[in-house]
Amino acid sequence: MGDLNRYTATCHSVSTRVIGKYSTSFGQATRLLGRPVRSRVRDLYAVVRVADEIVDGPAAEAGMNPDQIAAELDRFESDIAQAIENGFSANPVIQAFSDTVRVCAIQPQHIRAFFRSMRADTDKETYTDGELDDYIYGSAEVVGLMCLDIFLAGRDRTGEEHRTLVDGARHLGAAFQKINFLRDLAEDREELGRDYLGLDSEDDKDAALEDIRNDLDIARRSLPGLPASSRTGVTAAYLLFGELVRRLEQTSLAELRRRRVRVPDRVKAKILAQAVIESRTPRKESNRGL
């Protein structure tokens, strides 16, 4: 193994450490992905996580003002673009991700869209419907599309089946983001001063959940077309989101403004087992998990 390959392999392992420290649920789901898909998805997660940390608190906690935070985000995006072009970064998270971008042909416009949404978090507190749609596209739907590029690396990417997968990736990403909007109501309002959904009543909450169910239903239709190396992991994420929707339905808006809804570890374990079973019969559609 050459020096560059050794360094890049080490950087991929750093991405694994990042996801292990930040996300129990997503980390468990990635274990169900085949190799090398698993490592590549973790590389993407690590970059998304670092961008979130720039705009969501740690940078401010370190003493950076809003202008400095925006500049730091710009530098992070610029360093990624440079690493993709040059093949090297001294930042391990960027090095791992840039390698994944090149190998999996991740589209540069998706990376740019992601950073546009992250940039909005540096200065926006409320969103119109159109602004929110744009934000969700950049912060979540394109992440689903980048995951799909990883899943399909080296495979044909044309035809109706591919369009179904693209639609599913976008809607699963959107569902994930909208679920987190509901789960993070308290933190977003009290700590970050943001209000993404503008919920004023239980009816508003119910409408948001119905929208999420529609996203998940569209995503479900795409699961059978995924490669075996990614189908089980994505099915696990889909089922976990469905469990979160059920728990959000059972939690009042007032309570959501006080605490974050979580799925107990024992329930997560059952969901992972269910994902393994369901992914073995990929052509049979299922409504379980919703």
Side-chain angles (χ1 to χ4, degrees):
M1 179 182 290
D3 289 342
L4 178 59
N5 288 338
R6 182 182 299 110
Y7 172 66
T8 303
T10 301
C11 292
H12 288 303
S13 70
V14 171
S15 298
T16 298
R17 292 291 299 275
V18 171
I19 195 172
K21 290 293 184 180
Y22 276 96
S23 178
T24 302
S25 299
F26 193 70
Q28 289 174 337
T30 63
R31 292 175 190 159
L32 299 178
L33 298 170
R35 299 176 185 271
V37 172
R38 182 188 315 162
S39 175
R40 302 295 185 186
V41 169
R42 289 170 174 172
D43 295 337
L44 171 58
Y45 176 89
V47 158
V48 169
R49 185 72 262 168
V50 171
D52 280 342
E53 294 301 85
I54 293 172
V55 301
D56 277 356
E61 188 177 339
M64 298 178 75
N65 63 43
D67 288 342
Q68 290 173 320
I69 290 172
E72 185 67 26
L73 186 68
D74 288 345
R75 278 192 294 272
F76 190 53
E77 181 181 12
S78 177
D79 288 348
I80 289 172
Q82 184 175 352
I84 292 169
E85 181 179 353
N86 297 339
F88 180 81
S89 172
N91 182 321
V93 167
I94 292 177
Q95 177 67 14
F97 178 64
S98 65
D99 180 61
T100 287
V101 169
R102 292 191 301 273
V103 170
C104 300
I106 288 176
Q107 300 301 300
Q109 65 267 27
H110 294 156
I111 300 172
R112 290 194 295 270
F114 170 74
F115 277 97
R116 279 198 300 272
S117 286
M118 292 300 97
R119 203 163 285 111
D121 275 338
T122 65
D123 59 13
K124 287 190 71 65
E125 296 181 355
T126 60
Y127 291 79
T128 65
D129 289 345
E131 289 172 340
L132 185 62
D133 288 343
D134 289 342
Y135 178 85
I136 291 172
Y137 173 76
S139 66
E141 292 182 35
V142 297
V143 175
L145 292 173
M146 287 189 278
C147 283
L148 186 61
D149 284 336
I150 294 170
F151 300 156
L152 300 181
R155 300 172 183 267
D156 178 50
R157 303 184 182 201
T158 61
E160 184 62 32
E161 187 171 40
H162 180 252
R163 285 188 285 274
T164 299
L165 290 173
V166 167
D167 206 25
R170 289 187 61 177
H171 281 277
L172 192 62
F176 175 69
Q177 183 65 282
K178 293 169 190 175
I179 287 169
N180 275 344
F181 286 157
L182 288 171
R183 297 177 73 201
D184 294 338
L185 278 179
E187 180 182 354
D188 286 342
R189 279 191 167 190
E190 300 302 323
E191 297 183 22
L192 301 176
R194 299 179 194 147
D195 185 0
Y196 294 101
L197 297 179
L199 304 182
D200 294 320
S201 67
E202 290 294 330
D203 286 343
D204 289 341
K205 187 199 83 170
D206 291 344
L209 286 169
E210 183 61 29
D211 187 40
I212 293 169
R213 282 188 172 277
N214 179 64
D215 284 325
L216 289 175
D217 185 56
I218 293 171
R220 173 177 56 83
R221 300 170 202 166
S222 71
L223 297 179
L226 288 168
S229 58
S230 58
R231 192 184 306 125
T232 304
V234 177
T235 299
Y238 161 81
L239 293 173
L240 178 61
F241 296 164
E243 178 63 25
L244 282 167
V245 167
R246 280 199 297 272
R247 291 172 182 269
L248 289 165
E249 285 177 333
Q250 296 165 5
T251 307
S252 70
L253 182 58
E255 185 67 14
L256 288 176
R257 287 173 175 158
R258 290 193 295 269
R259 68 176 181 88
R260 195 171 199 261
V261 170
R262 299 182 183 276
V263 176
D265 289 343
R266 58 180 177 77
V267 177
K268 290 178 186 176
K270 291 180 180 179
I271 288 172
L272 296 179
Q274 182 181 349
V276 172
I277 294 170
E278 292 203 9
S279 64
R280 288 174 179 171
T281 54
R283 294 298 167 182
K284 180 181 179 181
E285 289 192 352
S286 170
N287 286 313
R288 285 190 292 173
L290 295 180

